[in-house]
């Protein structure tokens, strides 16, 4: 399977998206600069090659740029290639993708949505492995009691909160 990628600029810095003929394989939030974003992508997808994106990827890039610029944009339309993702993680990601911009759920809410309220910790672990940040909006999932919970992107929970502020989320 051939994987291609493109870097693109957003209000937060240079992001990246990688795709195959089956859909989006991975997205990358900005690192400290474009070179660092490209290097991280190279570590995760060493055989990927940089190229001009096809139309559906250009649409995704435009929507991500708009979303990170403050527009309320849904990315539910995006086809992801999650064949290599464990079944539980796929279910978690599908549930998280239903959270609209500006809204949040808790790890426990997601666990209930996938049918087992006892899985809140495993939901958090799955979101920590999320290969599709922004497309699978793991930043919209908080810990119980309005606590931030974790976030594995550069900047950690500060970046998570910045993304929620950009989307206009009301936090208690």
């Amino acid at each position: 399977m051939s994987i291609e990628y493109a870097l693109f600029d957003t209000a937060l810095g240079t992001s990246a998206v990688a795709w195959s003929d089956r859909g989006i394989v991975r997205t990358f939030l900005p690192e400290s600069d474009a070179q660092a974003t490209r290097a991280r992508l190279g570590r995760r997808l060493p055989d990927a090659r940089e190229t001009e994106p096809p139309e559906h990827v250009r649409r995704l890039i435009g929507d991500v740029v708009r979303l990170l610029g403050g527009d309320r944009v849904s990315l539910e339309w995006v086809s992801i290639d999650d064949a290599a993702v464990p079944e539980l993680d796929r279910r978690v990601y599908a549930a998280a993708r239903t959270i609209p911009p500006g809204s949040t759920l808790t790890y426990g809410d997601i666990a209930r949505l996938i049918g087992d309220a006892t899985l809140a910790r495993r939901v958090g672990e799955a979101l920590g492995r999320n290969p599709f940040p922004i497309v699978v909006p793991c930043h919209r999932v908080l810990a119980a009691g309005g606590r931030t919970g974790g976030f594995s992107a550069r900047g950690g929970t500060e970046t998570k909160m910045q993304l929620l502020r950009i989307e206009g989320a009301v936090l208690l």
Side-chain angles (χ1 to χ4, degrees):
M1 171 180 67
S2 172
I3 298 176
E4 299 175 312
Y5 74 92
L7 273 65
F8 59 97
D9 292 325
T10 72
L12 300 180
T14 302
S15 296
V17 58
W19 64 92
S20 72
D21 58 351
R22 294 193 310 245
I24 301 303
V25 173
R26 198 169 186 101
T27 55
F28 296 84
L29 289 170
E31 295 293 329
S32 58
D33 58 31
Q35 184 177 349
T37 301
R38 184 177 279 111
R40 181 168 190 193
L41 187 146
R43 287 189 303 275
R44 302 276 190 213
L45 300 169
D47 296 328
R49 70 179 182 92
E50 190 168 5
T51 189
E52 283 296 314
E55 176 57 35
H56 71 283
V57 176
R58 285 195 305 272
R59 178 180 172 203
L60 168 60
I61 289 169
D63 282 357
V64 170
V65 168
R66 289 180 37 232
L67 182 69
L68 295 181
D71 292 347
R72 291 205 176 190
V73 178
S74 171
L75 300 175
E76 286 185 77
W77 66 268
V78 176
S79 176
I80 59 175
D81 178 357
D82 61 1
V85 173
E87 174 61 28
L88 177 65
D89 293 16
R90 279 199 299 271
R91 291 173 43 216
V92 168
Y93 301 161
R97 291 188 75 188
T98 68
I99 308 168
S103 299
T104 61
L105 291 177
T106 66
Y107 299 117
D109 292 333
I110 297 290
R112 284 185 286 284
L113 283 173
I114 65 171
D116 188 342
T118 67
L119 294 177
R121 181 176 300 264
R122 293 198 47 208
V123 166
E125 292 167 355
L127 292 171
R129 291 186 294 270
N130 178 13
F132 315 102
I134 302 299
V135 173
V136 172
C138 52
H139 63 282
R140 297 180 192 150
V141 185
L142 303 172
R147 292 187 325 273
T148 307
F151 198 62
S152 58
R154 184 179 70 85
T157 56
E158 184 177 312
T159 298
K160 182 176 191 170
M161 298 310 290
Q162 181 180 18
L163 291 169
L164 291 172
R165 284 190 300 275
I166 288 169
E167 292 183 356
V170 177
L171 304 173
L172 302 176

